[in-house]
């Protein structure tokens, strides 16, 4: 689907879920403003008090896999577009947004290589110190926090390849 056709669908979905979220952002190829888009990806923090309404909003779209009460669900919008929804916490929002914005090459060759070089590993959507001395996950609330942590300058999503 073209960016021009996919963006209104993504905005519609974001608009339907936003009232029940603390934060919500379109990620993936849409955020990178690619000409061709294969799916809609959203990264969000649900509001606990609004969980039943959030679940109801998500369940309006056909389930492919996952659950809106878990960390991930995939749905099908009536347009036929697949929708990947990543439910995260305040402490890993920036990490997951950066990874899910991509591209896949950028996430692997720049971000993952960067955190490994700095002594971190990714487990279950969180970064941990690889030496195991510190067992708490590293807080990455903003994308810029991740870039700073791995020691690279900020890269605008539209030029991540």
């Amino acid at each position: 689907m073209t960016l021009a056709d996919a963006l209104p669908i993504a905005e519609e979905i974001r608009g339907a879920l936003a009232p029940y979220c603390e934060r919500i952002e379109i990620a993936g190829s849409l955020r990178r403003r690619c000409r061709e888009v294969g799916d809609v990806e959203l990264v969000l923090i649900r509001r606990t008090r609004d969980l039943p309404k959030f679940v109801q909003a998500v369940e309006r779209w056909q389930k492919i896999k996952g659950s809106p009460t878990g960390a991930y669900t995939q749905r099908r919008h009536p347009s036929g577009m697949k929708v990947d929804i990543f439910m995260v916490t305040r402490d890993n929002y920036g990490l997951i947004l950066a990874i899910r914005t991509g591209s896949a090459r950028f996430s692997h060759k720049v971000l993952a290589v960067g955190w490994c070089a700095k002594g971190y590993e990714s487990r279950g959507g969180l970064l941990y110190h690889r030496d195991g001395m510190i067992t708490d996950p590293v807080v990455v609330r903003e994308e810029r926090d991740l870039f700073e942590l791995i020691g690279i300058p900020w890269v605008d999503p539209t030029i991540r390849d």
Side-chain angles (χ1 to χ4, degrees):
M1 190 176 286
T2 67
L3 174 65
D5 291 334
L7 195 54
I9 294 167
E11 293 292 352
E12 171 201 327
I13 295 165
R14 178 169 62 178
L17 300 179
Y20 317 112
C21 298
E22 185 177 308
R23 293 181 77 175
I24 183 169
E25 182 69 48
I26 296 168
S29 54
L30 279 162
R31 187 163 182 241
R32 294 192 321 273
R33 297 294 191 244
C34 296
R35 285 188 201 154
E36 296 294 320
V37 175
D39 59 7
V40 172
E41 292 186 58
L42 294 165
V43 176
L44 58 87
I45 303 171
R46 296 176 296 231
R47 282 195 196 102
T48 304
R49 71 176 184 269
D50 292 325
L51 184 59
K53 291 178 183 178
F54 175 81
V55 169
Q56 184 177 21
V58 170
E59 288 183 343
R60 76 177 67 177
W61 302 298
Q62 177 190 1
K63 178 181 177 176
I64 298 173
K65 59 184 167 183
S67 167
T69 60
Y72 170 76
T73 188
Q74 186 178 70
R75 301 288 160 149
R76 186 170 313 281
H77 184 268
S79 66
M81 182 71 87
K82 284 184 183 175
V83 181
D84 292 315
I85 304 172
F86 299 88
M87 285 76 63
V88 301
T89 69
R90 288 179 184 143
D91 289 348
N92 72 340
Y93 182 86
L95 174 66
I96 302 303
L97 181 60
I99 292 169
R100 299 315 313 171
T101 292
S103 67
R105 190 205 72 75
F106 186 84
S107 293
H108 293 279
K109 302 289 185 184
V110 177
L111 300 178
V113 166
W115 70 59
C116 288
K118 294 292 184 176
Y120 300 99
E121 64 183 355
S122 174
R123 286 184 278 139
L126 299 164
L127 285 184
Y128 291 88
H129 295 273
R130 202 172 31 219
D131 63 16
M133 299 292 290
I134 301 171
T135 57
D136 292 333
V138 178
V139 173
V140 185
R141 292 188 173 169
E142 304 295 334
E143 272 187 312
R144 288 182 187 270
D145 297 340
L146 178 61
F147 283 76
E148 186 176 309
L149 181 74
I150 64 177
I152 65 169
W154 168 255
V155 178
D156 187 271
T158 60
I159 57 172
R160 296 179 195 173
D161 64 343

